[in-house]
Amino acid sequence: MTIDSKYGVPTVAVHTNVFERVVRSVARVNGMPRARAVFVPQPVMGKTARELREYVDGNDPVTGRPVMQEVIEGLTRPFDAEDLKKMVYERTTPRLVEPATEDELQRLFLDNHWTDTLPIILPTEERVAEMLAHTTHKPDEVVGHMRPTHFREYWEYTVEKVAVNAVMAGARPEYFPVILAIAASGVSGRGSTTSSAAGMVVVNGPVRGEIGMNSGTGALGPYNHANATIGRAFGLLSQNLQGGSEPGLTYMGSQGNNYAYNCVTFAENEERSPWEPLHVTHGFNASDSAVSVFSGCRSTAFTLGLRERHWQNHVRNMLRGMDPHEQPCLVLDPITARQFIDRGGLDTKDNLVDWIYNNACMPAGEYWDYQLIQNYIYPRATYGEEPYASKLKAAPDEMVHMFKRDEIEAVVVGGETNGYWRIFGARYGKTVSVDEWR
Amino acid sequence: MIETLEQTHTRSGARDGQLTVLNPQGFPPRVSPKDMAPRLDTLEGKTVYLVDCRFDDADLFLQQMQAWFREHLPGVRAELIQLSSVYTRDDPETWEKIKATGDAAIVGVGH
């Protein structure tokens, strides 16, 4: 749309048909509802030249008309009256929903895609007021902006709006500063990406104990009320405050993601960790309370402990099992965290991250052939962006790093019932003070 | 302490078993109209850029579209061009080049 409206070049955009609703919606909210779009079948990826030529020679699966006829008309057909309409619209969100019975409201919230499809606590004024009483911030203060994907517009939200979603999730009012801090990160727990991402939240500092969060046995769920409902609140506030998370429109995750139900929210077991807590790694004092918010949580590698003879290869295998476009976050039971020290001498988190960085390697030829690397990294490499540009110079058999060092995270959680641990592919977004939202 | 629905019902003043609750949605920005570029009278003799978004083999698809132009509209100069970097970033250099040396654009394959 930019090249058409800003640079004055008549343009037609070609999309695959499963994105029709998304394309129309994005065009509308960007002020060009009549932007010319033509559709071809999904997928383009992986198709042969012959198959792609059939797409070109064939019909638009949305309209049933020849693709190339639509392309040419899109560039040459004069505007009609509808094209020339100047559409301006203010969109508002009413503060209240029309009064109705409890059953009717549960149904309304479900039908409007305002829930995760599980029953919610209805956000009455009284419940929201009780939530608001647990922060010194005013209800109408703007907390932040969020959007489900980069090509959609940012929506804005206030303290009260966050409180409404916190109530719906079943959160207790004393959790509210943590939920506000998550919302203030601007990171969405309901990204629209076709890759089916979830959010992830690590809570650090004294607030963990104050509100009874679990960092020990069963911390990742579903056995702790604070962990469960704070994470659920993150999901609900994301979908409602960013402008929706509706499949086929504002959510395009092909498979969906069970992690999204509570956005993998837990407290770090700082007391049993041999390393600095996550929020300290990101510039906070240990005595601060903070949330570290991740997006893109989907892949998981898993094993038990670190064996004496082959632990290094076992860990390398886990890393090689990840897509190199992921960002690894090691989620370690305290038993395994100490094993990294006992087996490998990795006595600081810096040393651990160094080891992971240096051992997560693959041949350059394989690396560049990953589809996500082709989509998101290769274009940046050819643009000259480092470290990708240098990596592009490697011979196909030369080993290259899979991940950037500063994209590797580690957190300790678990009750030491055994040394199980995992690597989540999750993209670190931001660490935000909880104390500032009290 | 979260109150019961019955207490809420009483306090909200709703009648006949009705509740008043808050809308959970955020605030959308104002939508302002953008003008589309004037369309061309004809493509004959014009340069049309096929803009590769560099996503999911879009380049291979656009090569086939370029071949179609060669076969069916040889008077149209269909030129392939890649975005400079990843599709999530604006690319003013490429847009300026297309504006300076082209007449129209076909951008694909987006999602």
Side-chain angles (χ1 to χ4, degrees):
Chain A
M1 282 183 282
T2 302
I3 185 172
D4 200 320
S5 64
K6 190 171 170 187
Y7 291 83
V9 178
T11 301
V12 167
V14 181
H15 305 270
T16 56
N17 61 319
V18 296
F19 293 93
E20 187 210 353
R21 289 182 70 207
V22 178
V23 169
R24 306 289 186 208
S25 163
V26 169
R28 190 173 65 252
V29 298
N30 280 286
M32 281 180 65
R34 302 280 287 177
R36 303 300 191 238
V38 175
F39 298 91
V40 296
Q42 170 84 334
V44 165
M45 180 186 70
K47 291 293 180 184
T48 63
R50 184 175 172 180
E51 289 169 322
L52 294 173
R53 180 56 193 257
E54 287 171 0
Y55 285 5
V56 173
D57 290 335
N59 290 340
D60 178 328
V62 173
T63 64
R65 301 179 67 233
V67 164
M68 291 310 295
Q69 185 180 337
E70 291 201 321
V71 167
I72 291 162
E73 286 179 3
L75 297 174
T76 59
R77 191 180 63 209
F79 295 143
D80 60 23
E82 197 64 28
D83 290 325
L84 296 171
K85 267 188 188 168
K86 292 283 184 189
M87 182 209 61
V88 183
Y89 64 94
E90 296 283 356
R91 296 176 293 173
T92 59
T93 303
R95 182 168 179 269
L96 299 175
V97 175
E98 283 295 314
T101 66
E102 180 182 3
D103 285 350
E104 288 168 343
L105 288 169
Q106 286 283 354
R107 186 75 210 183
L108 177 78
F109 275 56
L110 184 65
D111 290 347
N112 285 348
H113 302 280
W114 291 346
T115 76
D116 50 15
T117 74
L118 300 175
I120 51 142
I121 304 296
L122 290 170
T124 61
E125 289 187 278
E126 292 77 8
R127 287 170 177 157
V128 172
E130 196 165 358
M131 193 66 71
L132 290 168
H134 280 72
T135 181
T136 56
H137 292 259
K138 292 181 177 171
D140 61 354
E141 179 180 334
V142 172
V143 176
H145 300 81
M146 198 179 287
R147 59 183 179 176
T149 181
H150 76 279
F151 52 74
R152 283 196 175 273
E153 75 284 17
Y154 278 107
W155 285 40
E156 187 173 272
Y157 43 90
T158 58
V159 170
E160 182 175 81
K161 286 291 186 183
V162 178
V164 171
N165 284 276
V167 168
M168 288 167 59
R172 294 180 184 139
E174 56 265 36
Y175 309 161
F176 193 42
V178 175
I179 296 167
L180 279 169
I182 293 168
S185 74
V187 176
S188 174
R190 292 277 196 273
S192 171
T193 171
T194 53
S195 64
S196 305
M200 182 171 108
V201 177
V202 181
V203 182
N204 284 105
V207 75
R208 295 167 307 143
E210 293 164 13
I211 61 174
M213 289 194 78
N214 184 12
S215 62
T217 302
L220 270 66
Y223 304 103
N224 178 273
H225 188 267
N227 295 25
T229 57
I230 291 170
R232 188 185 186 205
F234 179 28
L236 292 178
L237 72 86
S238 295
Q239 68 186 68
N240 288 322
L241 303 182
Q242 72 183 4
S245 186
E246 181 183 339
L249 185 61
T250 40
Y251 179 79
M252 294 302 289
S254 189
Q255 294 183 312
N257 188 334
N258 200 267
Y259 290 164
Y261 278 111
N262 97 317
C263 294
V264 193
T265 297
F266 59 91
E268 183 166 23
N269 194 341
E270 298 174 21
E271 292 72 17
R272 298 293 296 161
S273 170
W275 302 308
E276 67 184 14
L278 186 63
H279 69 318
V280 172
T281 304
H282 290 286
F284 285 79
N285 296 317
S287 58
D288 296 334
S289 292
V291 294
S292 295
V293 188
F294 295 69
S295 61
C297 185
R298 49 205 158 212
S299 64
T300 310
F302 150 91
T303 196
L304 171 58
L306 298 177
R307 297 284 293 168
E308 185 176 6
R309 285 183 60 199
H310 291 294
W311 72 270
Q312 296 185 61
N313 276 338
H314 295 163
V315 178
R316 289 184 192 116
N317 290 344
M318 291 171 75
L319 293 162
R320 281 291 296 270
M322 301 180 69
D323 189 287
H325 190 246
E326 297 278 14
Q327 297 182 359
C329 179
L330 279 66
V331 178
L332 302 160
D333 190 275
I335 290 174
T336 311
R338 287 194 295 274
Q339 280 196 307
F340 269 104
I341 296 171
D342 296 341
R343 303 283 194 219
L346 307 176
D347 56 349
T348 65
K349 196 183 276 187
D350 245 11
N351 289 338
L352 173 72
V353 170
D354 273 341
W355 192 93
I356 296 295
Y357 172 68
N358 287 317
N359 284 273
C361 296
M362 66 169 50
E366 278 183 42
Y367 173 87
W368 288 111
D369 195 44
Y370 270 88
Q371 187 69 57
L372 285 170
I373 296 298
Q374 279 288 308
N375 285 356
Y376 294 104
I377 302 298
Y378 181 70
R380 295 164 70 179
T382 56
Y383 190 62
E385 185 177 331
E386 294 293 355
Y388 310 120
S390 294
K391 197 183 283 190
L392 197 55
K393 295 172 186 162
D397 292 335
E398 191 178 331
M399 298 298 276
V400 296
H401 296 288
M402 292 172 65
F403 312 110
K404 287 173 70 178
R405 190 192 179 285
D406 62 4
E407 292 174 345
I408 301 166
E409 303 286 348
V411 58
V412 176
V413 62
E416 302 180 61
T417 60
N418 211 337
Y420 287 105
W421 65 285
R422 338 174 193 203
I423 304 175
F424 284 127
R427 187 174 299 266
Y428 170 77
K430 197 172 185 181
T431 301
V432 178
S433 167
V434 171
D435 301 321
E436 289 179 11
W437 287 101
R438 290 181 189 271
Chain B
M1 186 71 185
I2 294 174
E3 68 186 334
T4 64
L5 280 173
E6 194 174 350
Q7 289 169 317
T8 302
H9 167 80
T10 306
R11 288 191 196 180
S12 68
R15 294 173 190 164
D16 302 327
Q18 289 189 325
L19 300 173
T20 300
V21 301
L22 277 74
N23 183 308
Q25 293 182 293
F27 301 103
R30 181 176 187 266
V31 173
S32 302
K34 293 190 181 83
D35 288 331
M36 289 195 289
R39 303 293 106 170
L40 301 172
D41 296 333
T42 177
L43 293 185
E44 190 64 25
K46 302 289 184 3
T47 297
V48 177
Y49 275 102
L50 307 175
V51 185
D52 170 17
C53 292
R54 308 182 75 172
F55 182 84
D56 279 4
D57 300 341
D59 54 338
L60 303 179
F61 173 81
L62 291 176
Q63 285 169 18
Q64 295 306 313
M65 191 174 276
Q66 186 183 37
W68 185 95
F69 273 107
R70 269 195 229 107
E71 293 166 23
H72 295 274
L73 292 175
V76 178
R77 194 173 164 210
E79 293 281 339
L80 286 171
I81 190 169
Q82 285 191 321
L83 292 182
S84 303
S85 184
V86 68
Y87 73 92
T88 53
R89 298 183 181 181
D90 192 19
D91 192 1
E93 286 176 24
T94 298
W95 306 141
E96 289 289 0
K97 180 180 175 182
I98 293 172
K99 183 182 179 183
T101 62
D103 301 291
I106 299 165
V107 181
V109 176
H111 78 303

